[in-house]
Amino acid sequence: MSALLGLDKVGKTFARGGLFSSRRVEAVKEVSFALRDETPEIFTVIGESGSGKSTLARMILGIHAPSSGSIRLAGQDVATYERRAFMAKVQPIFQNPFEAFNPLKQLDRYLFMTAERFGEATDRKAAEGRADEALKQVGLSLAEIAGRFPHELSGGQLQRVAIARALVARPRLIVADEPVSMVDASLRMSIVNLFGRLRDDLGLSIIYITHDLATAYYISDRLIIMQKGVVVEEGPARAVLSAPSHPYSRQLRDAVLTPDSAGAFRGGYPPKAVPASGAKP
């Protein structure tokens, strides 16, 4: 089976204490995993602040270069991609939707620009069609947001526009870094459910970066748990979170995913079964 994305012993080291300081901090240490091309999935990276999960996301997005190891997209080293070609295949969704958009710029302009740069739209009519299609996939429409500014939408609506903006390019992979942490609690599950529908209906793979074990349990196919830059546990999401073997994983689970909360999620969106590494889909 071919890999959509493959990480092989990826590490990232930062210098600390100034230009001439010899102190170095390993933010990520030898992380390896692969997403299969044939089996779209939601692959979750769980960790507390400082675990290295956001640094890992930025390396996958090509924002940071790994200090060691390699990251390959469709068999090609991410570092060798022309940026526009890479962004046509991989799109980000960031934590705070209010910081993702210029408050003085109309939202539809972002969608049109993405359609023209990464979605191969050749004129405004084609860009409008691509934008409206993407917005409908997240429960909105171009008529609803045309000419509107970010402050005119709620946080949940704005995050949906951010997701639509990513979908305009018709990518193969979305990297979502804490995408529901700034959204009102009552709307978080609607965003998470949306990720499940995008996986199933569009065949999209999603890397979901989060500290929230409850939403990870609810929607993930597979996951890794990171502590201080190291992967301490990995495997099928519900199996890992129901019976974690590493002490840190158990600590996280016991602090967040209580029996009551787990029971509340069992009636929600059913995760699609993803075969273990090496198994046939």
Side-chain angles (χ1 to χ4, degrees):
M1 291 185 292
S2 60
L4 171 61
L5 180 77
L7 279 71
D8 183 24
K9 297 183 178 179
V10 170
K12 183 64 179 178
T13 302
F14 293 102
R16 289 288 185 264
L19 182 62
F20 301 106
S21 173
S22 61
R23 181 174 174 244
R24 305 184 72 79
V25 176
E26 287 186 278
V28 175
K29 306 173 187 178
E30 295 197 339
V31 173
S32 299
F33 64 82
L35 305 187
R36 291 173 291 277
D37 204 4
E38 300 88 348
T39 312
E41 63 178 308
I42 296 176
F43 184 91
T44 298
V45 181
I46 296 176
E48 297 178 299
S49 178
S51 65
K53 63 186 188 300
S54 289
T55 298
L56 184 65
R58 293 187 184 103
M59 286 192 287
I60 294 169
L61 288 168
I63 298 171
H64 292 330
S67 302
S68 59
S70 65
I71 302 175
R72 303 182 74 83
L73 177 69
Q76 181 178 340
D77 194 306
V78 165
T80 68
Y81 269 89
E82 189 273 327
R83 192 61 183 169
R84 181 173 292 191
F86 178 79
M87 294 298 290
K89 297 177 184 294
V90 182
Q91 282 283 312
I93 300 169
F94 295 113
Q95 178 176 11
N96 189 343
F98 291 98
E99 293 181 354
F101 300 102
N102 185 328
L104 302 178
K105 188 173 181 178
Q106 294 169 326
L107 291 166
D108 52 6
R109 293 172 62 84
Y110 284 95
L111 298 171
F112 299 155
M113 181 182 69
T114 301
E116 291 164 1
R117 291 188 65 190
F118 308 120
E120 301 180 351
T122 56
D123 54 36
R124 175 52 66 90
K125 184 176 181 181
E128 289 177 353
R130 183 68 69 89
D132 192 45
E133 175 189 28
L135 286 164
K136 287 177 178 176
Q137 288 166 342
V138 302
L140 296 169
S141 69
L142 184 57
E144 290 177 81
I145 71 144
R148 300 181 73 178
F149 292 90
H151 72 271
E152 297 181 89
L153 274 64
S154 69
Q157 288 175 315
L158 201 57
Q159 191 63 295
R160 286 177 179 270
V161 174
I163 296 169
R165 180 188 182 187
L167 294 177
V168 164
R170 294 178 181 165
R172 299 175 67 187
L173 174 67
I174 284 178
V175 180
D177 190 0
E178 296 278 11
V180 298
S181 63
M182 300 293 290
V183 176
D184 186 274
S186 63
L187 300 174
R188 286 177 188 168
M189 295 316 299
S190 67
I191 299 292
V192 172
N193 278 331
L194 173 59
F195 288 150
R197 290 195 295 273
L198 295 177
R199 174 198 60 196
D200 295 345
D201 297 344
L202 301 183
L204 263 176
S205 285
I206 299 170
I207 295 180
Y208 176 43
I209 312 290
T210 187
H211 66 278
D212 186 347
L213 269 71
T215 57
Y217 180 92
Y218 178 76
I219 200 62
S220 307
D221 296 302
R222 292 187 297 143
L223 59 77
I224 58 175
I225 297 176
M226 295 185 68
Q227 181 187 27
K228 297 180 180 178
V230 176
V231 174
V232 298
E233 194 143 11
E234 59 186 307
R238 293 202 170 189
V240 169
L241 293 178
S242 296
S245 59
H246 193 276
Y248 177 72
S249 304
R250 290 197 296 270
Q251 178 185 346
L252 288 179
R253 193 277 310 268
D254 293 344
V256 179
L257 194 65
T258 66
D260 288 343
S261 66
F265 287 125
R266 288 194 187 102
Y269 196 98
K272 184 184 67 171
V274 171
S277 178
K280 293 183 180 180

